[in-house]
């Protein structure tokens, strides 16, 4: 595989549009994990589903179609982490095999995600054991906060992981092990490195050779990133610093870097906030540069995005309109050509983020190669 970046992305219109606008050279290096969001009340009562007698199926069909629009002919990871592990459709089929089969029919090479945290659910276990996949298929073992905590007891952790492998009748070389820290806003980098090293060392001893780490340093709400309205601030991307540290300390492993794009795992789903603040989350070296405005219900409302974009374009951080589609959009907005809504800006911010992270990973890998070469001289 040539993938180097594993973004955990919500299967929502904003994020998916970001992928449709991603350059081919960048897209080929990404292996996205699309999170299928739970069905909110707004989805259940949506007009487009009012004639449906099987709303869950209709929603999953719609989501599969949207994913296929951006990943047909390519690989993608798909999970339903926020759903109860025993969730089924109206026809009685577990939601994950259902959407996997739909995606396969639509030409997407789906890589199954096996959730460590859900393996105690008999219904979930049976669904994942009976997936219709090729014998040589790759899998992803998603190790969330439960697994990371369990790793403090190595014997128990190994027993759990080997139990999953035995139940699936698979060896570690069939898997990418994803160490998913989720929301890391309240964890120090030191804590992350200690916990990450503990899990990676156990995985290595068990025979895993392809690994990824993921996390999100962006707070769920904008005031956690920049407290004052109409001001700018920075958020350190601890997930990148963690990956660079572990990548250096475990050079023999086949690594992918993972994160949550520009929206963390705990952002509100299906909740419309009339007082959403205008904002741009612009990814830079090991940080986010966050340009915050004010409520879209006050002052210049949506038009505030012109000023916010202008602030970014005139900063030292802006990389120019040719860097990505998102950067082109930011420049156009600064010139007053459009304002957009929250979904528009999720697409713009995510598109720039994907392009930047792929370039950042490449630069870091090159620095490791140069360091090795220099050490041998």
């Amino acid at each position: 595989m040539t993938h180097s970046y594993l973004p955990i992305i919500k299967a929502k219109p904003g994020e998916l549009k970001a992928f449709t606008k991603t350059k081919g050279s960048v897209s080929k290096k990404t292996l996205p994990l699309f999170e299928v969001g739970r069905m909110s009340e707004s989805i259940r009562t949506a007009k487009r589903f009012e004639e449906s007698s099987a709303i869950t199926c209709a929603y999953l069909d719609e989501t599969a179609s949207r994913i296929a629009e951006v990943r047909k002919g390519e690989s993608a990871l798909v999970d339903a982490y926020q759903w109860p592990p025993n969730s089924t459709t109206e026809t009685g089929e577990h939601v994950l095999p259902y959407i996997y089969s739909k995606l396969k029919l639509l030409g997407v090479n789906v890589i199954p995600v096996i959730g460590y945290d859900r393996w105690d659910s008999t219904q979930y276990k049976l669904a994942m054991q009976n997936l219709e996949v090729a014998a040589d298929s790759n899998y992803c073992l998603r190790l969330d906060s439960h697994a990371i905590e369990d790793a403090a007891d190595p014997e128990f952790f190994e027993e759990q992981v080997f139990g999953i492998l035995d139940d699936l009748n698979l060896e570690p070389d069939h898997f990418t092990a994803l160490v998913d820290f989720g929301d890391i806003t309240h964890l120090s980098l030191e804590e992350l490195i200690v916990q990450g090293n503990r899990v990676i060392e156990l995985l290595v001893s068990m025979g895993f050779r392809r690994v990824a780490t993921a996390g999100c340093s962006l707070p769920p709400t904008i005031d956690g990133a920049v407290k004052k309205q109409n001001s700018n601030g920075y958020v350190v991307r601890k997930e990148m610093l963690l990956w660079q540290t572990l990548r250096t300390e475990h050079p023999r492993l086949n690594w992918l870097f993972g994160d949550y794009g520009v929206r963390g795992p705990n952002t509100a789903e299906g909740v419309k906030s009339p007082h959403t603040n205008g904002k741009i989350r612009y990814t830079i070296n090991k940080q986010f540069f966050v340009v915050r405005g004010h409520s879209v219900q006050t002052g210049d409302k949506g038009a505030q995005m012109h000023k916010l974009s202008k602030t970014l374009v005139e900063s030292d951080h802006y990389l120019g309109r040719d860097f990505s589609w998102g950067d082109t959009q930011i420049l156009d907005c600064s010139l007053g050509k459009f304002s957009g809504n929250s979904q528009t800006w999720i697409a713009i911010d995510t598109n720039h983020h994907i392009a930047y992270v792929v370039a950042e990973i490449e630069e870091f890998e090159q620095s490791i190669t140069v360091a090795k070469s220099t050490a041998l001289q």
Side-chain angles (χ1 to χ4, degrees):
M1 286 188 189
T2 58
H3 304 124
S4 59
Y5 178 34
L6 195 162
I8 302 174
I9 298 289
K10 297 178 190 297
K12 296 284 187 180
E15 283 87 351
L16 293 171
K17 183 174 182 179
F19 267 92
T20 67
K21 300 294 185 179
T22 297
K23 296 176 182 177
S25 58
V26 173
S27 182
K28 288 177 182 177
K29 293 169 184 174
T30 64
L31 179 61
L33 191 164
F34 291 112
E35 286 282 15
V36 179
R38 290 182 66 176
M39 293 177 61
S40 63
E41 187 60 27
S42 62
I43 290 173
R44 292 182 183 280
T45 57
K47 190 172 182 180
R48 65 188 186 276
F49 295 140
E50 65 183 4
E51 301 292 326
S52 176
S53 59
I55 295 177
T56 305
C57 292
Y59 168 66
L60 294 175
D61 290 348
E62 177 185 78
T63 303
S65 295
R66 288 174 172 173
I67 293 172
E69 285 177 11
V70 300
R71 294 304 285 186
K72 183 176 181 179
E74 298 183 77
S75 297
L77 305 161
V78 178
D79 201 6
Y81 182 76
Q82 300 297 338
W83 294 58
N86 61 348
S87 296
T88 58
T89 66
E90 291 82 0
T91 57
E93 187 174 0
H94 193 278
V95 295
L96 279 171
Y98 181 90
I99 197 168
Y100 286 179
S101 64
K102 292 293 179 181
L103 286 165
K104 184 178 178 181
L105 288 172
L106 292 169
V108 179
N109 175 29
V110 183
I111 298 174
V113 177
I114 306 298
Y116 175 99
D117 62 304
R118 289 159 274 173
W119 207 248
D120 287 340
S121 165
T122 301
Q123 199 156 359
Y124 175 82
K125 182 192 293 187
L126 288 172
M128 304 312 282
Q129 283 178 312
N130 292 293
L131 290 174
E132 293 184 8
V133 294
D136 59 347
S137 290
N138 292 307
Y139 286 73
C140 173
L141 177 62
R142 190 173 189 177
L143 303 164
D144 71 340
S145 59
H146 296 87
I148 294 167
E149 290 173 9
D150 286 351
D153 182 346
E155 188 174 336
F156 178 77
F157 176 80
E158 290 184 3
E159 181 182 338
Q160 294 299 106
V161 173
F162 278 133
I164 292 172
L165 299 188
D166 288 345
D167 288 339
L168 292 168
N169 196 27
L170 294 171
E171 297 296 326
D173 57 9
H174 278 85
F175 287 87
T176 294
L178 169 60
V179 186
D180 180 10
F181 285 89
D183 185 339
I184 57 175
T185 52
H186 300 299
L187 287 173
S188 70
L189 180 59
E190 290 74 20
E191 289 176 292
L192 291 167
I193 291 171
V194 169
Q195 293 179 19
N197 261 317
R198 180 188 297 140
V199 177
I200 295 299
E201 286 168 5
L202 286 171
L203 291 171
V204 170
S205 70
M206 297 169 72
F208 289 90
R209 292 294 177 265
R210 185 172 174 81
V211 298
T213 56
C216 183
S217 299
L218 275 174
T221 60
I222 191 63
D223 3 357
V226 179
K227 296 195 179 300
K228 187 178 177 183
Q229 289 190 349
N230 303 312
S231 64
N232 314 324
Y234 297 87
V235 175
V236 175
R237 291 164 53 223
K238 290 178 284 188
E239 56 272 19
M240 176 55 77
L241 295 170
L242 168 68
W243 176 79
Q244 290 183 353
T245 301
L246 296 178
R247 168 73 183 87
T248 304
E249 293 182 4
H250 302 274
R252 293 174 182 262
L253 293 175
N254 188 350
W255 279 93
L256 290 91
F257 167 72
D259 66 16
Y260 279 81
V262 301
R263 284 211 290 177
N266 297 330
T267 52
E269 288 292 320
V271 179
K272 292 183 179 180
S273 172
H275 296 290
T276 296
N277 276 224
K279 55 188 171 289
I280 304 175
R281 296 143 293 195
Y282 195 75
T283 309
I284 61 175
N285 185 32
K286 303 183 186 73
Q287 297 182 95
F288 291 104
F289 176 51
V290 183
V291 186
R292 178 183 178 180
H294 50 266
S295 169
V296 295
Q297 297 296 317
T298 63
D300 48 359
K301 299 183 177 179
Q304 67 180 288
M305 298 309 301
H306 303 158
K307 293 178 182 176
L308 300 184
S309 296
K310 193 169 188 294
T311 296
L312 175 52
V313 169
E314 292 178 350
S315 75
D316 293 336
H317 302 302
Y318 183 63
L319 295 176
R321 69 175 303 134
D322 294 332
F323 183 75
S324 71
W325 170 83
D327 286 271
T328 301
Q329 295 298 106
I330 291 168
L331 181 60
D332 285 349
C333 183
S334 75
L335 298 173
K337 294 183 179 181
F338 74 96
S339 297
N341 56 31
S342 60
Q343 287 296 325
T344 306
W345 285 96
I346 288 167
I348 290 169
D349 294 352
T350 302
N351 180 266
H352 165 82
H353 178 83
I354 293 169
Y356 189 92
V357 169
V358 167
E360 191 176 21
I361 293 169
E362 286 184 347
E363 184 178 344
F364 187 75
E365 292 290 354
Q366 288 170 4
S367 72
I368 290 177
T369 301
V370 170
K372 284 181 181 178
S373 177
T374 302
L376 293 172
Q377 291 176 2

